Amino acid sequence: MSKHVSYIVSNIIEQENSESEINSYLRILAPIQFTLESCSGASQTDFINVLMVSPLGNNFYHFQNDTEIMQFNARAPHLHDFYELLIVLDGEIHQQIEQSNFTVHCGSCCLMNRNIIHKEMFHSNANILCIGISKELVRHLTEEEQNLYFPNFEQPGTNPILNFLIDNLENPNTKEYLDFLPTISNQNWHQVLHSLTDNILRAIMFPKLGSTYVISVC
């Protein structure tokens, strides 16, 4: 049974059908938003903290004890009108994508387009970062790519991630996602991911001169 309930989270996200048992729909209200989710485990004394930040506002959720964690994991999956990059910073999580379930390990990333039905679930200690990217920001990035200072070296039009996003703009009904795994030769990926996360969250929560540049570069 679906209930058509809609609410807005701190000018970051608008959620429709939030009480649906099938799936809910999220609309992004900012150009970009970041959600840091931390789980300490799945026992009676563990918790999940969810920090949502964007240039337009911040919000914090807390789920305590195993009952609330189970309710979090049992929630209906969702889809949205923005792109999402999920990064597992520590530990591992279970991820449902459409009708399939996967285990996503530390250092792995998943980039999903706008039509993928999905949700993440925690079963042990883990930290993840979800980056929501609006259609408008993707269009802006495509325009900026045409104004590169060194096109012979930077080769506009060859970025596979941006091409993936552009393709979904032109074909909005496609259901696609990309998985990224750390390579053996990349020994410092863990430090790099945590440093990027720290820089992004600091730039958004404590903005100052150059914060927009820091976020866009990250």
Side-chain angles (χ1 to χ4, degrees):
M1 179 179 179
S2 298
K3 298 181 180 180
H4 298 282
V5 178
S6 174
Y7 68 91
I8 294 177
V9 179
S10 302
N11 292 322
I12 304 172
I13 292 290
E14 179 181 9
Q15 184 171 10
E16 297 181 357
N17 299 338
S18 59
E19 297 185 21
S20 170
E21 297 176 3
I22 303 173
N23 59 63
S24 61
Y25 188 77
L26 306 180
R27 300 181 189 277
I28 193 169
L29 304 178
I32 191 168
Q33 67 90 14
F34 302 86
T35 301
L36 180 65
E37 300 181 8
S38 300
C39 179
S40 65
S43 70
Q44 188 172 2
T45 58
D46 283 312
F47 59 85
I48 297 176
N49 289 333
V50 179
L51 174 65
M52 299 180 66
V53 299
S54 85
L56 301 182
N58 306 320
N59 203 61
F60 178 77
Y61 295 97
H62 177 71
F63 302 89
Q64 59 184 3
N65 68 54
D66 55 343
T67 300
E68 292 190 5
I69 293 175
M70 288 177 61
Q71 292 173 346
F72 177 87
N73 288 334
R75 73 197 187 285
H78 61 269
L79 67 162
H80 36 62
D81 72 339
F82 57 92
Y83 305 93
E84 183 174 85
L85 176 64
L86 181 148
I87 306 170
V88 180
L89 300 171
D90 302 287
E92 64 180 29
I93 64 166
H94 295 320
Q95 185 178 32
Q96 176 185 337
I97 298 182
E98 296 291 329
Q99 303 302 316
S100 301
N101 291 285
F102 306 92
T103 299
V104 187
H105 301 279
C106 182
S108 299
C109 308
C110 181
L111 177 62
M112 293 167 280
N113 73 16
R114 295 176 288 163
N115 296 304
I116 295 291
I117 299 174
H118 64 280
K119 72 172 179 178
E120 70 281 0
M121 296 162 284
F122 292 96
H123 61 94
S124 60
N125 186 285
N127 296 303
I128 67 172
L129 177 68
C130 298
I131 304 175
I133 307 168
S134 68
K135 302 186 298 288
E136 292 74 21
L137 181 56
V138 172
R139 292 192 180 98
H140 175 71
L141 292 174
T142 61
E143 294 169 359
E144 287 293 307
E145 193 184 36
Q146 305 307 314
N147 299 314
L148 297 175
Y149 292 151
F150 310 102
N152 292 336
F153 296 96
E154 297 176 283
Q155 299 180 343
T158 61
N159 186 314
I161 297 178
L162 187 56
N163 288 341
F164 171 83
L165 300 176
I166 295 171
D167 181 70
N168 183 245
L169 282 179
E170 299 173 348
N171 303 281
N173 294 322
T174 57
K175 289 179 175 286
E176 297 177 329
Y177 61 93
L178 297 176
D179 284 325
F180 302 89
L181 304 175
T183 62
I184 296 177
S185 59
N186 189 0
Q187 297 294 323
N188 64 336
W189 61 264
H190 191 266
Q191 178 182 350
V192 170
L193 287 179
H194 276 268
S195 178
L196 285 173
T197 301
D198 184 66
N199 290 339
I200 289 170
L201 295 180
R202 286 178 181 274
I204 288 188
M205 299 187 69
F206 310 103
K208 57 184 179 181
L209 182 65
S211 290
T212 298
Y213 175 77
V214 170
I215 295 169
S216 62
V217 169
C218 291

